[in-house]
């Protein structure tokens, strides 16, 4: 158990809908990262937050957004969902920038 | 940009065989290197890491040595078990970005 929690574990929704994925980092970790894992793209970095502020952006679509709250949990919002958004979404946390990252169990999103 | 290249899988071995999974990287600066393991239906677990040249990371019988001259970080284990069957990801982290850059993953299947 990494100490990073993610909910829900599975999510099935229809095209055009909006969903929110939630992540709680390990106790004391200030950085939260979101990654997408798909069969065709592999593991791709989406976005990083550090202590409530956006720190780095990767291959994140404009339909996707994230935030980190004062209690350090983070949410990833995915809107106008398309079939191609079906993937595993992982959250990771680290104590500080450029330090080892610990991953949560992931949320499997299926868009039908 | 940064990139990680892993050997194609799947790798199929008999129990107690020797394992090598090759990983080479391209990076600006001096990256930290990691191996993560993903068991079926689970998230990524940090297996081992090395933060500077000639460092050897080790955990659970797995080892990898950071070779700057060959830009490699090959994963080895002297005697694999059926329980080691999983997908193994090589990854790097540099000082210029906090995101992990992953290889495509190598599936290991160990049979009795």
């Amino acid at each position: 158990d990494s100490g990073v929690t993610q909910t829900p574990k599975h999510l099935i929704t229809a095209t055009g809908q909006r969903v929110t994925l939630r992540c709680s980092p390990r106790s004391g970790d200030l950085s939260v990262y979101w990654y997408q894992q798909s069969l065709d793209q592999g593991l791709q970095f989406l976005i990083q937050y550090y202590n409530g502020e956006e720190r780095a952006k990767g291959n994140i679509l404009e339909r996707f957004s994230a935030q980190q709250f004062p209690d350090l949990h983070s949410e990833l919002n995915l809107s106008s969902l398309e079939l191609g958004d079906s993937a595993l979404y992982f959250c990771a946390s680290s104590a500080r920038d450029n330090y080892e990252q610990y991953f949560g169990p992931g949320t499997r999103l299926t868009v039908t | 940009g940064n990139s990680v290249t892993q050997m194609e899988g799947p790798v199929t071995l008999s129990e107690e065989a020797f394992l090598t999974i090759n990983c080479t990287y391209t990076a600006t600066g001096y990256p930290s290197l990691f191996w993560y393991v993903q068991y079926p239906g689970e998230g990524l677990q940090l297996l081992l890491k090395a933060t500077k040249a000639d460092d050897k990371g080790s955990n659970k019988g797995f080892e990898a040595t950071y070779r700057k001259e060959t830009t490699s970080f090959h994963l080895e284990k002297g005697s694999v078990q059926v329980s080691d069957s999983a997908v193994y990801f090589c990854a790097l982290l540099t000082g210029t970005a906090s995101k992990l850059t992953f290889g495509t993953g190598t599936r290991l299947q160990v049979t009795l």
Side-chain angles (χ1 to χ4, degrees), chain A residues 13-56:
Chain A
T13 190
T15 53
Q17 295 299 304
R18 173 189 168 94
V19 296
T20 298
L21 313 184
R22 182 188 168 103
C23 167
S24 292
R26 292 188 318 158
S27 177
D29 283 359
L30 298 178
S31 262
V32 170
Y33 309 79
W34 286 97
Y35 292 86
Q36 180 194 59
Q37 185 180 35
S38 62
L39 282 173
D40 53 343
Q41 298 284 334
L43 269 158
Q44 301 260 320
F45 168 73
L46 295 178
I47 197 164
Q48 179 205 359
Y49 278 79
Y50 180 84
N51 203 20
E53 301 287 328
E54 182 184 302
R55 182 62 68 100

Side-chain angles (χ1 to χ4, degrees), chain A:
Chain A
D1 184 355
S2 67
V4 179
T5 60
Q6 289 186 248
T7 56
K9 194 169 175 62
H10 300 281
L11 203 46
I12 301 173
T13 190
T15 53
Q17 295 299 304
R18 173 189 168 94
V19 296
T20 298
L21 313 184
R22 182 188 168 103
C23 167
S24 292
R26 292 188 318 158
S27 177
D29 283 359
L30 298 178
S31 262
V32 170
Y33 309 79
W34 286 97
Y35 292 86
Q36 180 194 59
Q37 185 180 35
S38 62
L39 282 173
D40 53 343
Q41 298 284 334
L43 269 158
Q44 301 260 320
F45 168 73
L46 295 178
I47 197 164
Q48 179 205 359
Y49 278 79
Y50 180 84
N51 203 20
E53 301 287 328
E54 182 184 302
R55 182 62 68 100
K57 243 179 179 177
N59 300 322
I60 188 165
L61 298 172
E62 285 194 14
R63 301 183 284 109
F64 296 0
S65 64
Q67 53 185 326
Q68 186 179 27
F69 294 86
D71 67 351
L72 300 178
H73 92 270
S74 178
E75 292 181 357
L76 179 67
N77 299 297
L78 315 176
S79 61
S80 302
L81 285 167
E82 302 175 0
L83 295 177
D85 298 327
S86 296
L88 259 173
Y89 291 84
F90 287 110
C91 168
S93 74
S94 68
R96 56 182 185 269
D97 274 356
N98 301 313
Y99 203 62
E100 61 204 48
Q101 296 175 23
Y102 292 87
F103 282 73
T107 293
R108 182 173 292 280
L109 173 67
T110 302
V111 182
T112 61

Side-chain angles (χ1 to χ4, degrees), chain B residues 9-88:
Chain B
V11 174
T12 304
L13 295 173
S14 299
E15 201 170 47
E16 298 183 2
F18 184 86
L19 169 71
T20 300
I21 300 179
N22 290 338
C23 170
T24 57
Y25 67 88
T26 302
T28 53
Y30 301 95
S32 294
L33 300 172
F34 304 86
W35 278 100
Y36 283 85
V37 58
Q38 186 175 28
Y39 297 100
E42 297 186 14
L44 285 85
Q45 295 179 24
L46 178 60
L47 183 59
L48 53 84
K49 68 173 183 178
T51 57
K52 60 183 188 296
D54 300 325
D55 265 2
K56 178 186 279 189
S58 62
N59 186 24
K60 299 180 182 179
F62 291 90
E63 291 183 339
T65 301
Y66 187 162
R67 301 283 187 206
K68 189 166 179 292
E69 63 277 12
T70 54
T71 61
S72 65
F73 192 54
H74 304 322
L75 182 68
E76 297 182 335
K77 187 176 186 185
S79 176
V80 293
Q81 306 299 311
V82 171
S83 58
D84 294 326
S85 298
V87 180
Y88 293 81

